[in-house]
Amino acid sequence: MTTIFINIKELLQTRTSTIEKVSGQEMKILPSIKNAYLLVKDDEIIDYGVMNDTCFGIADEVIDCTGKIVMPTWIDSHTHIVYAGNREQEFVDRINGLTYEEIANRGGGIVNSAEKLQNTSEEDLYKQSKKRLEEVMQLGTGAVEIKSGYGLTPEAEMKMLRVIRKLKQEYKLPVKATFLGAHAVPKAFKNNTAGYIDQVINEMLPAIANENLADYIDIFCEKGYFSIEDTKRVLAAGKKYGLKPKIHVNQFNIIGGVAAGVEYNALSVDHLEVISDEDIEILKNSETMPVALPSCSYFLSIPYTPARKLIDAGLPLALATDFNPGSTPSGNMNFVISTACIKMKMTPEEAINAATINAAYAMGIAESHGSITVGKKANLILTKEIPSYGFLPYAFGTNNIDSVFINGKKI
Ligand code: NIG
Ligand code: FE
């Protein structure tokens, strides 16, 4: 089955060779072809270029894209899409003056979500989660990483990871599973963080690895959650099972999480709302992708990751949603790129690079996704008729997406 997209107003993120990521000044460059065609065979991009006469009549299906832009789908490399219920009450508590930290200290926050999840059946959890996945796919997300971490017991963590596996099986987009057992200390281990870490390492990890339920390992490295020592223990244990780290660091405090992540060869270090010059130097000498989560900053009214500082220092940057019930109840990547431009002073080119090619790197799928390259998967966004790609972040809150294709098929 071949499909040709013709009369494309502009085809974005065209890369002749598979580059892994773009850093620093390169992030300002978004290669594209105006008045283009794109040829797809089954699930793969097989050709593209400037429109010409030979474009007609060579494919089984022709899609006329006059006035519209075609680009690779968004890649969301950091989500917690599998969760039970919501935390609307905590949202109202914050409006009334409590902080995220105060709510967590009262027994709300992550452990609140864990309680809900423990009392939800696997089937119901799957139903709640697939609704969110379907929603974000319609919003242009064509690959998604999903974390555990709202179970906090061996049974409930396994339940979450099995739901992620089912989503992986039922939906055609790439899904990566991350084991985040060390997301918060559960009530049963109050004042015994080391005991909980023992359980994560000695009980949960072997069982998860045995069923091959995780691709990556994560920990919330933060004051009041897990220390650098805990982080190193968990990452070292994950390494034994071949799980690369993708970790939560520097959301509220700088405690050395970036250095720990780099030391353990993390694929990404995520959040970075606060970051030191030393952290930037450490990242410069690494293969670790920094990931910013602007919707989280927006929702919690906390600082935005200083994207300009990172990019101007020559670093790459990826953008993701952090979709979760507590700090970011939104999985809309279009809002993420708008917010990155508006609040973090990223240019549209930088934001689109950060949410496609660099995001693919942060998810470990850069070889097959993240750009318009021959041989890569045809996971595509077809926009509505818009004046230019800059309109995507500019017209924030407007849905400019006409349709989404996963593996060459319209969803
Ligand atoms: O990435 N910061 C840690 N974990 C999530 C939020 C968890 C929650 O509040 O439920 C995050 O923001
Ligand atoms: Fe997160």
Side-chain angles (χ1 to χ4, degrees):
M1 167 81 183
T2 50
T3 304
I4 190 159
F5 296 77
I6 59 165
N7 298 322
I8 302 169
K9 182 183 178 111
E10 194 164 1
L11 179 63
L12 301 187
Q13 194 61 290
T14 48
R15 307 271 177 180
T16 43
S17 63
T18 300
I19 52 155
E20 276 197 305
K21 57 183 173 187
V22 283
S23 310
Q25 290 295 321
E26 297 161 356
M27 286 191 69
K28 285 202 167 53
I29 301 162
L30 180 64
S32 74
I33 298 174
K34 289 192 171 144
N35 189 27
Y37 72 92
L38 173 71
L39 186 59
V40 170
K41 182 165 193 277
D42 301 325
D43 59 349
E44 240 179 51
I45 295 168
I46 59 165
D47 192 18
Y48 61 87
V50 178
M51 276 298 290
N52 60 61
D53 293 345
T54 59
C55 291
F56 298 95
I58 61 168
D60 302 321
E61 184 190 16
V62 180
I63 298 176
D64 182 13
C65 306
T66 301
K68 301 172 178 180
I69 285 170
V70 173
M71 57 179 290
T73 51
W74 307 126
I75 290 176
D76 195 349
S77 69
H78 180 141
T79 85
H80 311 246
I81 264 183
V82 172
Y83 61 81
N86 63 68
R87 304 227 298 273
E88 217 182 301
Q89 184 52 49
E90 292 180 9
F91 169 59
V92 177
D93 292 342
R94 280 194 303 104
I95 293 169
N96 289 324
L98 286 182
T99 65
Y100 182 77
E101 198 182 1
E102 284 164 346
I103 290 167
N105 291 341
R106 285 174 155 200
I110 295 164
V111 295
N112 177 358
S113 285
E115 225 161 86
K116 289 189 167 80
L117 190 137
Q118 287 161 12
N119 296 319
T120 301
S121 70
E122 192 169 317
E123 203 187 327
D124 190 12
L125 188 60
Y126 175 73
K127 267 193 203 147
Q128 294 186 36
S129 307
K130 78 177 206 153
K131 235 172 125 177
R132 288 186 279 268
L133 183 60
E134 285 172 9
E135 183 204 354
V136 302
M137 287 170 75
Q138 292 297 337
L139 290 168
T141 295
V144 70
E145 180 260 16
I146 311 173
K147 299 170 192 299
S148 72
Y150 289 121
L152 309 184
T153 65
E155 305 71 44
E157 283 294 308
M158 297 284 283
K159 176 164 68 183
M160 284 190 83
L161 288 162
R162 280 196 296 265
V163 168
I164 300 172
R165 181 175 61 191
K166 181 141 192 232
L167 292 170
K168 209 187 261 201
Q169 288 161 349
E170 300 292 316
Y171 292 84
K172 298 281 173 269
L173 80 174
V175 174
K176 294 281 185 190
T178 301
F179 172 49
L180 174 58
H183 196 192
V185 180
K187 284 182 186 152
F189 285 87
K190 204 165 187 262
N191 300 321
N192 182 16
T193 303
Y196 182 59
I197 293 286
D198 284 342
Q199 190 183 58
V200 165
I201 292 174
N202 301 325
E203 273 188 59
M204 297 187 195
L205 248 181
I208 287 161
N210 191 35
E211 285 190 40
N212 220 345
L213 284 170
D215 302 295
Y216 301 116
I217 189 150
D218 194 350
I219 181 165
F220 188 15
C221 176
E222 180 60 60
K223 273 188 193 162
Y225 293 84
F226 297 99
S227 67
I228 292 299
E229 195 197 327
D230 301 329
T231 302
K232 289 186 178 180
R233 278 189 69 198
V234 168
L235 300 193
K239 200 174 166 184
K240 285 196 192 133
Y241 293 97
L243 302 182
K244 249 193 165 202
K246 277 175 67 62
I247 61 174
H248 284 74
V249 296
N250 291 33
Q251 183 176 4
F252 302 104
N253 298 284
I254 300 170
I255 62 168
V258 171
V262 170
E263 184 186 334
Y264 283 87
N265 224 342
L267 184 57
S268 69
V269 284
D270 303 23
H271 271 289
L272 309 172
E273 284 86 341
V274 290
I275 188 157
S276 67
D277 292 343
E278 198 191 329
D279 289 336
I280 290 177
E281 285 311 308
I282 291 166
L283 284 169
K284 271 190 199 169
N285 300 308
S286 80
E287 294 298 312
T288 300
M289 177 66 70
V291 180
L293 309 165
S295 300
C296 174
S297 298
Y298 176 83
F299 189 71
L300 294 185
S301 300
I302 61 174
Y304 287 88
T305 302
R308 282 268 53 92
K309 209 173 159 183
L310 297 175
I311 296 171
D312 295 345
L315 289 174
L317 185 66
L319 290 165
T321 62
D322 199 17
F323 197 175
N324 75 73
S327 72
T328 322
S330 160
N332 190 339
M333 282 294 288
N334 306 286
F335 180 78
V336 166
I337 63 149
S338 283
T339 309
C341 293
I342 297 162
K343 297 292 184 186
M344 294 159 64
K345 306 287 177 229
M346 290 172 74
T347 64
E349 294 79 11
E350 288 171 331
I352 292 171
N353 276 321
T356 55
I357 190 132
N358 284 357
Y361 181 94
M363 224 184 111
I365 57 167
E367 277 188 12
S368 52
H369 294 81
S371 63
I372 301 296
T373 302
V374 170
K376 282 200 178 183
K377 295 290 176 207
N379 285 16
L380 309 165
I381 288 174
L382 172 63
T383 70
K384 293 178 182 164
E385 289 190 29
I386 52 175
S388 67
Y389 62 77
F391 201 77
L392 293 171
Y394 162 80
F396 77 96
T398 297
N399 185 357
N400 286 304
I401 294 179
D402 175 312
S403 37
V404 178
F405 296 78
I406 302 290
N407 290 339
K409 286 204 180 60
K410 188 170 164 174
I411 57 160

